[in-house]
Amino acid sequence: MMLRSFPLATVAALMSGLAVSGAHAQTAAEIAARQARLALEGLDIGSPRGAGGDPQTSVAQSVTSAKPSANLNTSIQDQLGPYGDPYGLRSFLKTKGIEYSLTYIGESFGNATGGVRRGAIVEGRLDIQFDADLEKLAGWQGATFHTNLYLIHGTGLSRYYVNNFITVSAIEALPSSRLYEIWLEQKLFDGQFGLKVGQIAADTEFAVTQTGTLFINSTFGWPNIMAEVLPSGGPIYPLAVPAIRAKYVPNQNFSLQVGVFDGDPAGPYPSDLDPQRRNRTGTNFRTSDPALVIAEAAYAYNIAQGDEGDPGTVTLGGWHHFGRFDSQRFDEAGRSLADPSTTGIARRFRGDSGLYGIIDQTIYREPDDPNDGASVFLRLSGSPSDRNIVDFYADMGIAYKGLFKGRSDDTIGVAFALARISDSARGFDTDVIRFGGASGLRRSSEAVIEATYQAVLGPGVTVQPDIQYIFRPGGGVPNPRDPDGARIKNAAVFGVRATVRY
C-alpha cells in the first residue's frame, strides 16, 4: 500500500539501487573467495612446481598429466574424509619424511577415420610412487630417495590401429608390471648442486616444456625425434636405465644439468624387436652399452614478484650417443641398399648427436587471478640425416588455464608437432623406386594436431576429452592391409582420459 504513495520514478530508483547493491555484494563475495583460494594455493609463477624440476614459468601448466616430468601435488585424500588417511598412517609417515602417492590414468581412444584400420581401445596405468626425505628419516642431510613402478593394462591405438610413430597417448605401452625409476639424490652447497644416481629416465628432467604437459600425445613430453633415433627409444617411459645426473643451480633463474645414461634400455634384439619385451619388468639394469650423454642449460626470467614482463624459460640442450649407427641409404661399399648388387650390410657411423631448443612463455595473466592465463611453447630439434630416420622435429602450442568463468583450474589447449623423414631415408625410397622399375611411395613427414580440455572435477580428479588429427601416419608408408599398397590414410582420433590421484 505504501508504494502507491511514492512516485513511480522513485520506486524504480530504489529497485535499481537494491540491484546494484546486490551485485556489489556478490562481487565482494567472489573477490573474498578468490583471495582465500589464492592464499591457499600460493602463486604458481616462480614456485618450484614447474615440470622438469625447474621454477614454474608457464601459467597454463596443467593440474594433472601423464608426462613423467609433471610435478603433481593434488590429491583426493581430503575428499575421502576419514577414509583418506586410515589410522593416520599417511600423516605419521609424512612427519618422518616418507610420502607415497597412487595415480591412476584410464582412457579410451578410437580412430574414426584413417590409420591401418578403424578401431577403439581402452588402456590404463597405475603409477605407485614412494619418496623419502633421508634427512628427516635418518639424519642424512640433503639426501632424498625416490622410486616408482607402473602397472599397465590395455592396448595402444598407435600400435594396433593407426600405425604411426608420433604415439597418440603418453601412457601407451605393452601390458606389464614394471619398475621405472629408483634413485638417490644428494644435494650440496645449500642445495645449489645435486647429484642423482640410480635408475633414471631422461624424460623426467630433460627437453621438458611446461605448457606441453597438458597434451595427451606422447611427443609433447619427450620429443619424437629422440624417441625414433635413439636405441630402444632412449631412456624414457616405460624404460629407465642406470645413470648419473648432476645439476647446478647457482640462483633461482639459471640451471645447468648433465646426465650420463646407459645407451640402450633393452639391449640388442636377436630374438624380439620390441624393447619392452626385451626388458619386460624394467629390471635389466644394463650398464655395458655405449653411453648416452645429455647436457642442458635453462634460464627462467620474470619469475619474482614485481618483475616487469611475462615469465618464461629458454632452454638449450644437446645429446651424444657413443654407439654405432646404420646408414639409412648406403651399404659399406657405398652402394644403395636398394641396389640389387648391394652387400645388404649398412654402412656404420660412429656416434650420433642432436641439438634442441625450447621457449616456454606466458603471454597473458588475468589481472584478478595471477594463476590463470595463457602460455605458449616452441621446441625445435635436429640430428644428422645420414644415420637417422628423422632429422628435424618441431612442435608448438598454446594453452589457457581458467578461460571460463567459475572454472579456474581447467585448462584448454591446441598443439602441433611435425617430424620430418630424413633426406637419407627419403633417398632410399627414391632408390627403391628407381631400381624396382615401378612406381612407389616416398616418405616425407608425419604431423599431428591436438586439441584438448582438462576439466578439474575436484582435488586430484580430472577428466580430459581430446581430439587429434594425424597427417601421413608413418611418414607416408603403404598400408599393409591395402591390396593396392596405398598410403595409410590420415587418422582422426577421438578420446577421453580420466585421472585420479591419491
Side-chain angles (χ1 to χ4, degrees):
M1 294 293 294
M2 292 184 65
L3 285 175
R4 292 179 182 176
S5 64
F6 285 91
L8 184 60
T10 303
V11 175
L14 286 170
M15 296 297 291
S16 176
L18 287 172
V20 171
S21 176
H24 285 170
Q26 183 180 10
T27 302
E30 290 176 349
I31 292 174
R34 181 167 56 247
Q35 290 175 341
R37 176 173 57 80
L38 289 173
L40 183 63
E41 292 177 353
L43 288 176
D44 289 336
I45 298 299
S47 75
R49 295 191 291 268
D54 292 319
Q56 184 170 338
T57 60
S58 170
V59 72
Q61 181 175 280
S62 61
V63 174
T64 63
S65 175
K67 306 295 191 291
S69 61
N71 192 347
L72 308 181
N73 57 10
T74 61
S75 173
I76 64 170
Q77 176 179 333
D78 292 341
Q79 312 306 308
L80 300 177
Y83 301 102
D85 188 11
Y87 305 105
L89 178 61
R90 198 178 201 195
S91 300
F92 172 76
L93 291 175
K94 189 173 183 178
T95 63
K96 301 299 182 181
I98 299 173
E99 297 187 55
Y100 64 91
S101 67
L102 294 86
T103 305
Y104 180 77
I105 301 173
E107 60 189 25
S108 179
F109 279 91
N111 57 317
T113 61
V116 172
R117 55 186 176 128
R118 289 187 295 172
I121 59 93
V122 175
E123 60 188 349
R125 184 186 79 191
L126 176 63
D127 179 6
I128 304 172
Q129 296 197 28
F130 175 89
D131 292 275
D133 182 336
L134 298 183
E135 185 171 355
K136 283 186 178 181
L137 183 63
W140 185 350
Q141 187 174 0
T144 55
F145 172 82
H146 168 85
T147 187
N148 71 310
L149 60 90
Y150 291 131
L151 306 178
I152 306 166
H153 68 85
T155 56
L157 192 72
S158 287
R159 179 185 290 263
Y160 294 103
Y161 292 97
V162 181
N163 204 26
N164 65 319
F165 53 73
I166 302 180
T167 310
V168 167
S169 171
I171 72 167
E172 179 172 325
L174 291 177
S176 61
S177 299
R178 60 173 60 249
L179 176 70
Y180 190 46
E181 289 193 310
I182 179 167
W183 48 256
L184 179 75
E185 182 174 21
Q186 175 68 61
K187 289 191 175 181
L188 302 167
F189 311 116
D190 295 325
Q192 289 187 340
F193 179 79
L195 186 66
K196 183 185 292 186
V197 180
Q199 176 150 290
I200 304 171
D203 55 349
T204 58
E205 294 183 287
F206 291 91
V208 174
T209 162
Q210 295 178 8
T211 306
T213 58
L214 167 68
F215 299 96
I216 286 177
N217 192 289
S218 65
T219 197
F220 299 115
W222 184 252
N224 175 259
I225 183 172
M226 288 188 266
E228 288 300 315
V229 305
L230 289 173
S232 302
I236 62 170
Y237 172 83
L239 299 171
V241 297
I244 299 174
R245 189 276 284 146
K247 187 171 185 177
Y248 176 55
V249 187
N251 55 58
Q252 189 181 15
N253 299 92
F254 181 75
S255 66
L256 176 65
Q257 58 181 344
V258 179
V260 181
F261 301 82
D262 181 86
D264 192 338
Y269 44 89
S271 59
D272 199 320
L273 292 176
D274 196 309
Q276 294 181 48
R277 291 194 178 97
R278 302 200 306 274
N279 188 355
R280 293 178 180 273
T281 61
T283 55
N284 282 14
F285 303 125
R286 300 184 59 83
T287 58
S288 59
D289 303 293
L292 167 68
V293 178
I294 309 177
E296 179 181 287
Y299 178 71
Y301 47 88
N302 297 333
I303 58 175
Q305 293 189 45
D307 283 351
E308 295 184 4
D310 291 317
T313 303
V314 175
T315 304
L316 295 175
W319 58 268
H320 181 79
H321 195 291
F322 288 87
R324 299 182 70 86
F325 293 80
D326 291 343
S327 169
Q328 294 292 308
R329 187 176 187 181
F330 298 110
D331 67 11
E332 55 188 356
R335 290 185 292 266
S336 171
L337 290 166
D339 190 327
S341 63
T342 180
T343 64
I345 302 174
R347 178 185 175 187
R348 299 280 278 173
F349 294 97
R350 187 181 300 276
D352 197 1
S353 302
L355 296 172
Y356 60 86
I358 308 168
I359 298 176
D360 222 329
Q361 178 69 51
T362 290
I363 58 174
Y364 175 72
R365 295 172 75 184
E366 295 190 357
D368 60 347
D369 192 339
N371 286 340
D372 288 353
S375 298
V376 297
F377 72 93
L378 171 66
R379 184 169 49 176
L380 304 174
S381 182
S383 290
S385 175
D386 53 5
R387 67 205 70 185
N388 295 305
I389 189 171
V390 175
D391 63 2
F392 175 76
Y393 172 87
D395 62 15
M396 63 193 72
I398 182 170
Y400 198 115
K401 187 176 181 182
L403 179 61
F404 302 113
K405 185 176 181 180
R407 305 297 306 174
S408 178
D409 292 327
D410 292 3
T411 312
I412 187 171
V414 179
F416 174 80
L418 170 73
R420 186 181 70 184
I421 302 298
S422 68
D423 292 337
S424 184
R426 285 183 285 141
F428 171 76
D429 293 344
T430 300
D431 294 342
V432 169
I433 296 170
R434 178 163 59 91
F435 285 109
S439 61
L441 299 179
R442 192 167 182 259
R443 292 166 292 174
S444 57
S445 63
E446 180 176 308
V448 61
I449 186 168
E450 177 179 356
T452 195
Y453 183 89
Q454 185 180 97
V456 179
L457 304 186
V461 182
T462 61
V463 172
Q464 187 169 351
D466 189 79
I467 301 172
Q468 299 181 37
Y469 193 81
I470 300 162
F471 302 86
R472 300 175 299 277
V477 297
N479 186 340
R481 297 172 63 89
D482 189 307
D484 299 323
R487 295 183 193 273
I488 301 175
K489 294 181 179 180
N490 296 348
V493 174
F494 300 85
V496 62
R497 167 183 288 178
T499 301
V500 179
R501 185 173 189 271
Y502 171 72

